[in-house]
Amino acid sequence: MFIVCGLVRVHTISEDGRDITLFYLVPGDLCSLGSSYIQRRLNFPFFLEAAMDSKVIKISDRALNDLHKMNSCINDYLFQIIVNDFSKTLDKFYKMVCYDVEFRIGTCLNRELKLHGSKEIYLLHEDIAKCINSSRPVVSKTLKKMQDEGMLLLKKGCITITDVDALKALVGEELCCGLPHFGGRTCCCGE
């Protein structure tokens, strides 16, 4: 699957019912998980969901097979895509285990800030929790703490970033949009 425009969330559901975001796909990304060939070989369910209006091109298994027959180098390219998808998943789990909730919320808010170009972010606490693989009460408590520190202002259904520099300092410059940079490609915000 090729992402033309928009944002696609790749996620799974754990055995205890938790919705776990694996990674996001941005324009220009190619994802191996859209292939039914790959889906049949994985030992866990996963789902692709548009996180905003998106256009994607689904590449059929037959078309991939025909490409493979015409050019054996396609296997190397597909392997690189699979490794990239796996790397994104490992990166997400690493952040879940090693980074605190405030950093992960900051990353999510920073991504939204860059994607929409507005300091007003219309996300529910539940949506942020889903994005960072946490619970809504933990997100609400942490957002309240960030508000008390003057970084943001909470209103019903809206989070206003009041101190962009503090948000950038929290997440670090290497995560300019909250989306990982892979393969030397420029991220969605052009940095």
Side-chain angles (χ1 to χ4, degrees), residues 24-92:
Y24 287 90
L25 299 168
V26 296
D29 278 350
L30 213 80
C31 179
S32 64
L33 297 178
S35 163
S36 58
Y37 176 83
I38 299 292
Q39 290 174 0
R40 289 189 303 267
R41 284 155 179 78
L42 292 176
N43 294 327
F44 65 92
F46 67 91
F47 308 93
L48 297 132
E49 145 187 303
M52 62 189 302
D53 287 341
S54 302
K55 284 186 182 178
V56 301
I57 298 172
K58 171 99 167 78
I59 303 166
S60 72
D61 289 342
R62 184 175 183 179
L64 281 175
N65 193 33
D66 290 346
L67 282 171
H68 167 67
K69 287 178 183 175
M70 288 189 292
N71 184 350
S72 62
C73 292
I74 198 75
N75 273 343
D76 292 338
Y77 185 65
L78 291 174
F79 180 73
Q80 289 175 5
I81 293 168
I82 292 167
V83 167
N84 189 34
D85 290 345
F86 183 66
S87 175
K88 288 178 186 178
T89 302
L90 284 178
D91 182 64
K92 185 68 172 195

Coordinates of all heavy atoms in Angstrom, one line a residue, residues 24-92:
Y24 N 2.6 5.1 12.4 CA 1.8 5.9 11.4 C 2.5 5.9 10.1 O 3.7 5.8 10.0 CB 1.7 7.4 11.9 CG 0.8 7.5 13.1 CD1 1.2 7.5 14.4 CD2 -0.6 7.8 12.9 CE1 0.4 7.6 15.5 CE2 -1.4 7.9 14.0 CZ -1.0 7.8 15.2 OH -1.8 8.0 16.3
L25 N 1.7 6.0 9.0 CA 2.2 6.1 7.7 C 1.8 7.5 7.2 O 0.7 8.0 7.4 CB 1.5 5.0 6.8 CG 1.7 3.6 7.2 CD1 0.8 2.7 6.4 CD2 3.2 3.2 6.9
V26 N 2.8 8.1 6.5 CA 2.7 9.5 6.0 C 2.8 9.5 4.5 O 3.3 8.4 3.9 CB 3.7 10.4 6.7 CG1 3.5 10.6 8.2 CG2 5.1 10.0 6.4
P27 N 2.5 10.5 3.8 CA 2.6 10.6 2.4 C 4.0 10.1 1.9 O 5.0 10.6 2.5 CB 2.3 12.0 2.0 CG 1.4 12.5 3.1 CD 1.9 11.8 4.3
G28 N 4.0 9.2 0.9 CA 5.3 8.7 0.4 C 5.7 7.4 1.0 O 6.6 6.7 0.5
D29 N 5.0 7.0 2.1 CA 5.4 5.7 2.7 C 4.7 4.6 1.9 O 3.7 4.7 1.4 CB 4.8 5.6 4.1 CG 5.7 6.3 5.1 OD1 6.8 6.7 4.8 OD2 5.3 6.4 6.3
L30 N 5.5 3.5 1.9 CA 5.0 2.2 1.3 C 4.9 1.3 2.4 O 5.9 1.2 3.2 CB 6.0 1.7 0.2 CG 5.4 1.0 -0.9 CD1 4.9 2.0 -1.9 CD2 6.5 0.2 -1.6
C31 N 3.8 0.5 2.6 CA 3.6 -0.3 3.7 C 3.4 -1.8 3.2 O 2.5 -2.0 2.5 CB 2.5 0.1 4.6 SG 2.1 -0.9 6.0
S32 N 4.2 -2.7 3.7 CA 4.1 -4.1 3.4 C 2.9 -4.7 4.0 O 2.3 -5.7 3.5 CB 5.3 -4.9 3.8 OG 5.5 -4.9 5.2
L33 N 2.4 -4.2 5.1 CA 1.3 -4.8 5.9 C 0.0 -4.7 5.1 O -1.0 -5.4 5.5 CB 1.2 -4.1 7.3 CG 2.4 -4.3 8.2 CD1 2.1 -3.6 9.5 CD2 2.7 -5.8 8.4
G34 N -0.1 -3.9 4.1 CA -1.4 -3.9 3.3 C -1.5 -5.1 2.4 O -2.6 -5.3 1.8
S35 N -0.5 -5.9 2.3 CA -0.5 -7.0 1.4 C -1.1 -8.2 2.1 O -0.7 -8.6 3.2 CB 1.0 -7.4 1.0 OG 1.0 -8.7 0.5
S36 N -2.1 -8.8 1.4 CA -2.7 -10.0 2.0 C -1.7 -11.1 2.2 O -1.8 -12.0 3.0 CB -4.0 -10.4 1.3 OG -3.6 -10.7 -0.1
Y37 N -0.7 -11.2 1.3 CA 0.4 -12.2 1.4 C 1.1 -12.0 2.8 O 1.3 -13.0 3.4 CB 1.4 -12.0 0.3 CG 2.6 -12.9 0.3 CD1 2.5 -14.2 -0.2 CD2 3.8 -12.4 0.9 CE1 3.6 -15.0 -0.1 CE2 4.9 -13.3 0.9 CZ 4.8 -14.6 0.5 OH 5.9 -15.4 0.5
I38 N 1.4 -10.8 3.2 CA 2.1 -10.6 4.5 C 1.1 -10.8 5.6 O 1.4 -11.5 6.6 CB 2.6 -9.1 4.5 CG1 3.7 -8.9 3.5 CG2 3.1 -8.8 5.9 CD1 4.9 -9.6 3.6
Q39 N -0.2 -10.4 5.5 CA -1.2 -10.5 6.5 C -1.4 -12.0 6.9 O -1.5 -12.3 8.1 CB -2.5 -9.9 6.1 CG -2.5 -8.4 6.0 CD -3.7 -7.8 5.4 OE1 -4.7 -8.5 5.1 NE2 -3.8 -6.5 5.3
R40 N -1.4 -12.9 5.9 CA -1.6 -14.3 6.2 C -0.5 -14.9 6.9 O -0.6 -16.0 7.6 CB -1.8 -15.1 4.9 CG -3.1 -14.8 4.2 CD -3.4 -15.7 3.0 NE -2.3 -15.7 2.0 CZ -2.3 -14.9 0.9 NH1 -3.3 -14.1 0.7 NH2 -1.3 -15.0 0.0
R41 N 0.7 -14.3 6.9 CA 1.9 -14.9 7.6 C 2.2 -14.3 9.0 O 3.1 -14.8 9.6 CB 3.1 -14.7 6.6 CG 3.0 -15.7 5.5 CD 3.7 -15.3 4.3 NE 3.6 -16.3 3.2 CZ 2.6 -16.5 2.4 NH1 1.5 -15.8 2.6 NH2 2.5 -17.4 1.5
L42 N 1.5 -13.3 9.4 CA 1.7 -12.7 10.7 C 0.9 -13.5 11.8 O -0.2 -14.0 11.5 CB 1.3 -11.3 10.7 CG 2.2 -10.4 9.9 CD1 1.6 -8.9 9.9 CD2 3.6 -10.4 10.4
N43 N 1.4 -13.5 13.0 CA 0.8 -14.2 14.1 C -0.1 -13.3 15.0 O -0.4 -13.7 16.0 CB 1.9 -14.9 14.9 CG 2.6 -16.0 14.2 OD1 2.0 -16.7 13.3 ND2 3.8 -16.3 14.5
F44 N -0.3 -12.1 14.5 CA -1.2 -11.2 15.3 C -2.0 -10.4 14.4 O -1.6 -10.1 13.2 CB -0.3 -10.3 16.2 CG 0.6 -9.4 15.5 CD1 0.2 -8.1 15.2 CD2 1.9 -9.7 15.1 CE1 1.0 -7.2 14.5 CE2 2.7 -8.9 14.4 CZ 2.3 -7.6 14.1
P45 N -3.2 -10.0 14.8 CA -4.0 -9.2 14.0 C -3.5 -7.7 14.0 O -3.0 -7.2 15.0 CB -5.4 -9.2 14.6 CG -5.1 -9.5 16.1 CD -3.8 -10.3 16.1
F46 N -3.7 -7.0 12.9 CA -3.4 -5.6 12.8 C -4.4 -4.9 11.9 O -5.0 -5.6 11.1 CB -1.9 -5.3 12.4 CG -1.7 -5.7 10.9 CD1 -1.9 -4.8 9.9 CD2 -1.4 -7.0 10.6 CE1 -1.7 -5.2 8.6 CE2 -1.2 -7.4 9.3 CZ -1.4 -6.5 8.3
F47 N -4.5 -3.7 12.1 CA -5.5 -2.9 11.3 C -4.9 -1.6 10.8 O -4.0 -1.0 11.4 CB -6.7 -2.6 12.2 CG -7.2 -3.8 12.9 CD1 -6.8 -4.2 14.2 CD2 -8.2 -4.6 12.3 CE1 -7.2 -5.3 14.8 CE2 -8.6 -5.8 12.9 CZ -8.2 -6.1 14.2
L48 N -5.4 -1.2 9.7 CA -5.0 0.1 9.1 C -6.2 1.0 9.1 O -7.3 0.6 8.7 CB -4.5 -0.1 7.6 CG -3.2 -1.0 7.5 CD1 -3.4 -2.0 6.5 CD2 -2.0 -0.1 7.3
E49 N -6.0 2.2 9.6 CA -7.1 3.1 9.8 C -6.7 4.5 9.4 O -5.6 5.0 9.9 CB -7.7 3.0 11.2 CG -8.2 4.2 11.9 CD -8.5 4.0 13.4 OE1 -9.3 3.1 13.7 OE2 -7.9 4.7 14.2
A50 N -7.5 5.2 8.7 CA -7.1 6.6 8.3 C -7.3 7.5 9.6 O -8.4 7.5 10.2 CB -8.1 7.1 7.2
A51 N -6.2 8.1 10.0 CA -6.3 9.0 11.1 C -6.7 10.4 10.7 O -7.0 11.3 11.5 CB -4.9 9.1 11.8
M52 N -6.7 10.7 9.4 CA -7.3 11.9 8.8 C -7.6 11.5 7.4 O -7.3 10.4 6.9 CB -6.3 13.0 8.9 CG -5.0 12.8 8.1 SD -3.7 14.0 8.4 CE -4.4 15.5 7.9
D53 N -8.3 12.4 6.6 CA -8.6 12.1 5.2 C -7.4 11.7 4.5 O -6.4 12.4 4.6 CB -9.3 13.3 4.6 CG -10.7 13.6 5.0 OD1 -11.3 12.6 5.6 OD2 -11.2 14.7 4.8
S54 N -7.4 10.5 3.8 CA -6.2 10.0 3.2 C -6.6 9.4 1.9 O -7.7 9.0 1.6 CB -5.6 8.9 4.1 OG -5.3 9.4 5.4
K55 N -5.5 9.4 1.0 CA -5.6 8.6 -0.3 C -4.5 7.6 -0.3 O -3.3 8.0 0.0 CB -5.5 9.6 -1.5 CG -6.6 10.4 -1.8 CD -6.4 11.2 -3.0 CE -7.6 12.1 -3.3 NZ -7.4 12.9 -4.5
V56 N -4.9 6.4 -0.6 CA -3.9 5.3 -0.6 C -4.0 4.5 -1.9 O -5.1 4.6 -2.5 CB -4.0 4.3 0.6 CG1 -3.8 5.1 1.9 CG2 -5.3 3.6 0.5
I57 N -3.0 3.9 -2.4 CA -3.0 3.0 -3.5 C -2.7 1.6 -3.0 O -1.6 1.4 -2.4 CB -2.0 3.5 -4.6 CG1 -2.3 4.9 -5.1 CG2 -2.0 2.4 -5.7 CD1 -1.2 5.4 -6.0
K58 N -3.6 0.7 -3.2 CA -3.5 -0.7 -2.8 C -2.8 -1.4 -3.9 O -3.4 -1.4 -5.1 CB -4.8 -1.3 -2.4 CG -4.8 -2.8 -2.1 CD -4.7 -3.1 -0.7 CE -5.0 -4.5 -0.4 NZ -3.8 -5.4 -0.6
I59 N -1.7 -2.0 -3.7 CA -1.0 -2.8 -4.7 C -1.4 -4.3 -4.5 O -1.2 -4.8 -3.4 CB 0.5 -2.6 -4.6 CG1 0.8 -1.1 -4.7 CG2 1.2 -3.4 -5.7 CD1 2.2 -0.8 -4.3
S60 N -2.1 -4.9 -5.5 CA -2.6 -6.2 -5.4 C -1.4 -7.2 -5.3 O -0.3 -7.0 -5.8 CB -3.5 -6.6 -6.5 OG -2.7 -6.8 -7.7
D61 N -1.7 -8.4 -4.7 CA -0.7 -9.4 -4.6 C -0.3 -9.9 -6.0 O 0.9 -10.2 -6.3 CB -1.2 -10.6 -3.8 CG -1.3 -10.3 -2.3 OD1 -0.7 -9.3 -1.9 OD2 -2.0 -11.0 -1.6
R62 N -1.3 -10.0 -6.9 CA -1.0 -10.4 -8.2 C -0.1 -9.4 -8.9 O 0.9 -9.9 -9.6 CB -2.3 -10.5 -9.0 CG -2.1 -11.0 -10.4 CD -3.4 -11.2 -11.1 NE -3.2 -11.8 -12.4 CZ -4.1 -12.1 -13.3 NH1 -5.4 -12.0 -12.9 NH2 -3.8 -12.6 -14.4
A63 N -0.3 -8.1 -8.8 CA 0.6 -7.1 -9.4 C 2.0 -7.3 -8.8 O 3.0 -7.2 -9.5 CB 0.1 -5.7 -9.1
L64 N 2.1 -7.5 -7.5 CA 3.5 -7.7 -6.9 C 4.1 -8.9 -7.4 O 5.3 -8.9 -7.7 CB 3.3 -7.8 -5.3 CG 3.2 -6.5 -4.6 CD1 3.0 -6.7 -3.1 CD2 4.4 -5.6 -4.8
N65 N 3.4 -10.0 -7.6 CA 3.9 -11.2 -8.1 C 4.4 -11.0 -9.5 O 5.4 -11.5 -9.9 CB 2.8 -12.3 -8.0 CG 3.4 -13.7 -8.3 OD1 4.6 -14.0 -7.9 ND2 2.6 -14.6 -8.9
D66 N 3.6 -10.3 -10.4 CA 4.0 -10.0 -11.7 C 5.3 -9.2 -11.8 O 6.1 -9.5 -12.6 CB 2.8 -9.3 -12.5 CG 1.6 -10.2 -12.7 OD1 1.8 -11.4 -12.6 OD2 0.6 -9.6 -13.1
L67 N 5.4 -8.2 -10.9 CA 6.6 -7.4 -10.8 C 7.8 -8.3 -10.5 O 8.9 -8.1 -11.0 CB 6.4 -6.3 -9.8 CG 5.6 -5.1 -10.2 CD1 5.4 -4.2 -9.0 CD2 6.3 -4.3 -11.3
H68 N 7.6 -9.2 -9.5 CA 8.7 -10.1 -9.1 C 9.1 -10.9 -10.3 O 10.3 -11.1 -10.4 CB 8.2 -10.9 -7.9 CG 9.1 -12.1 -7.6 ND1 10.3 -11.9 -7.1 CD2 8.9 -13.4 -7.8 CE1 10.9 -13.1 -7.0 NE2 10.1 -14.0 -7.4
K69 N 8.2 -11.4 -11.1 CA 8.6 -12.3 -12.2 C 9.3 -11.5 -13.3 O 10.2 -12.0 -13.9 CB 7.3 -12.9 -12.8 CG 6.7 -14.0 -12.0 CD 5.5 -14.5 -12.6 CE 4.8 -15.6 -11.8 NZ 3.5 -16.0 -12.3
M70 N 9.0 -10.2 -13.4 CA 9.7 -9.3 -14.4 C 11.0 -8.9 -13.9 O 11.9 -8.6 -14.7 CB 8.8 -8.1 -14.8 CG 7.6 -8.5 -15.6 SD 6.8 -7.0 -16.2 CE 6.1 -6.3 -14.7
N71 N 11.2 -8.7 -12.6 CA 12.4 -8.1 -12.1 C 12.7 -8.7 -10.7 O 12.0 -8.4 -9.7 CB 12.3 -6.6 -12.0 CG 13.6 -5.9 -11.6 OD1 14.5 -6.6 -11.1 ND2 13.6 -4.6 -11.7
S72 N 13.7 -9.5 -10.6 CA 13.9 -10.2 -9.3 C 14.4 -9.2 -8.2 O 14.4 -9.5 -7.0 CB 14.9 -11.3 -9.5 OG 16.2 -10.8 -10.0
C73 N 14.8 -8.0 -8.6 CA 15.3 -7.0 -7.6 C 14.1 -6.6 -6.8 O 14.3 -6.0 -5.7 CB 15.9 -5.8 -8.3 SG 17.5 -6.2 -9.1
I74 N 12.9 -6.8 -7.2 CA 11.7 -6.4 -6.4 C 11.7 -7.1 -5.0 O 11.3 -6.5 -4.0 CB 10.4 -6.7 -7.2 CG1 9.2 -5.9 -6.5 CG2 10.0 -8.1 -7.1 CD1 9.2 -4.5 -6.9
N75 N 12.3 -8.3 -4.9 CA 12.4 -9.0 -3.6 C 13.2 -8.2 -2.6 O 12.9 -8.0 -1.5 CB 13.0 -10.4 -3.8 CG 11.9 -11.4 -4.1 OD1 10.8 -11.2 -3.9 ND2 12.4 -12.6 -4.6
D76 N 14.3 -7.6 -3.1 CA 15.2 -6.8 -2.3 C 14.4 -5.6 -1.8 O 14.5 -5.2 -0.6 CB 16.5 -6.4 -3.0 CG 17.4 -7.6 -3.3 OD1 17.3 -8.6 -2.5 OD2 18.2 -7.4 -4.2
Y77 N 13.7 -4.9 -2.7 CA 13.0 -3.8 -2.4 C 11.9 -4.1 -1.4 O 11.7 -3.4 -0.4 CB 12.4 -3.1 -3.6 CG 11.7 -1.8 -3.4 CD1 12.4 -0.7 -2.9 CD2 10.3 -1.7 -3.6 CE1 11.7 0.5 -2.6 CE2 9.7 -0.5 -3.3 CZ 10.4 0.6 -2.9 OH 9.8 1.8 -2.6
L78 N 11.1 -5.2 -1.6 CA 10.1 -5.6 -0.6 C 10.6 -5.9 0.7 O 10.1 -5.6 1.8 CB 9.3 -6.7 -1.2 CG 8.4 -6.4 -2.4 CD1 7.7 -7.7 -3.0 CD2 7.3 -5.4 -2.0
F79 N 11.8 -6.5 0.7 CA 12.5 -6.9 2.0 C 12.8 -5.6 2.8 O 12.6 -5.5 4.0 CB 13.7 -7.7 1.7 CG 14.4 -8.1 3.0 CD1 13.9 -9.0 3.9 CD2 15.6 -7.4 3.3 CE1 14.6 -9.3 5.0 CE2 16.3 -7.8 4.5 CZ 15.8 -8.7 5.4
Q80 N 13.3 -4.6 2.0 CA 13.6 -3.3 2.7 C 12.3 -2.6 3.3 O 12.4 -2.1 4.4 CB 14.2 -2.3 1.7 CG 15.6 -2.7 1.3 CD 16.1 -1.7 0.2 OE1 15.5 -0.8 -0.2 NE2 17.3 -2.0 -0.3
I81 N 11.2 -2.8 2.6 CA 9.9 -2.2 3.1 C 9.5 -3.0 4.4 O 9.1 -2.4 5.4 CB 8.8 -2.3 2.0 CG1 9.2 -1.3 0.9 CG2 7.5 -1.9 2.6 CD1 8.3 -1.5 -0.4
I82 N 9.6 -4.3 4.4 CA 9.3 -5.1 5.5 C 10.1 -4.7 6.7 O 9.7 -4.6 7.8 CB 9.3 -6.6 5.2 CG1 8.2 -6.9 4.2 CG2 9.2 -7.4 6.4 CD1 8.3 -8.3 3.5
V83 N 11.4 -4.6 6.5 CA 12.4 -4.2 7.5 C 12.0 -2.8 8.1 O 12.0 -2.6 9.3 CB 13.8 -4.3 7.0 CG1 14.8 -3.6 8.0 CG2 14.2 -5.7 6.8
N84 N 11.6 -1.9 7.2 CA 11.3 -0.6 7.6 C 10.0 -0.6 8.5 O 10.0 0.0 9.6 CB 11.0 0.3 6.4 CG 10.8 1.7 6.7 OD1 11.4 2.3 7.6 ND2 9.9 2.4 6.0
D85 N 9.0 -1.4 8.1 CA 7.8 -1.5 8.9 C 8.1 -2.2 10.3 O 7.6 -1.7 11.3 CB 6.7 -2.4 8.2 CG 6.1 -1.7 7.0 OD1 6.3 -0.5 6.9 OD2 5.5 -2.4 6.2
F86 N 9.0 -3.2 10.3 CA 9.4 -3.8 11.5 C 10.1 -2.8 12.4 O 9.9 -2.7 13.6 CB 10.2 -5.0 11.2 CG 10.6 -5.8 12.5 CD1 9.7 -6.4 13.2 CD2 12.0 -5.9 12.8 CE1 10.1 -7.1 14.4 CE2 12.4 -6.6 13.9 CZ 11.4 -7.2 14.7
S87 N 11.0 -2.0 11.8 CA 11.8 -1.0 12.5 C 10.8 0.0 13.2 O 11.0 0.4 14.3 CB 12.7 -0.3 11.6 OG 13.4 0.7 12.2
K88 N 9.8 0.5 12.5 CA 8.8 1.4 13.0 C 8.1 0.8 14.2 O 7.9 1.5 15.2 CB 7.8 1.8 12.0 CG 8.3 2.7 10.9 CD 7.2 3.0 9.9 CE 7.7 3.8 8.7 NZ 6.6 4.0 7.7
T89 N 7.8 -0.5 14.1 CA 7.1 -1.2 15.2 C 8.0 -1.3 16.4 O 7.6 -1.0 17.6 CB 6.6 -2.6 14.8 OG1 5.7 -2.4 13.6 CG2 5.8 -3.3 15.9
L90 N 9.2 -1.7 16.2 CA 10.2 -1.7 17.3 C 10.4 -0.4 18.0 O 10.5 -0.3 19.2 CB 11.5 -2.3 16.9 CG 11.5 -3.8 16.7 CD1 12.9 -4.3 16.2 CD2 11.2 -4.6 17.9
D91 N 10.5 0.7 17.1 CA 10.7 2.0 17.6 C 9.5 2.4 18.6 O 9.7 3.0 19.6 CB 10.8 3.0 16.5 CG 11.0 4.4 16.9 OD1 12.1 4.7 17.5 OD2 10.1 5.3 16.6
K92 N 8.3 2.1 18.2 CA 7.1 2.4 19.0 C 7.2 1.7 20.3 O 6.9 2.3 21.4 CB 5.9 2.0 18.2 CG 4.6 2.4 18.9 CD 4.5 3.9 18.9 CE 3.1 4.4 19.4 NZ 2.9 5.7 19.2

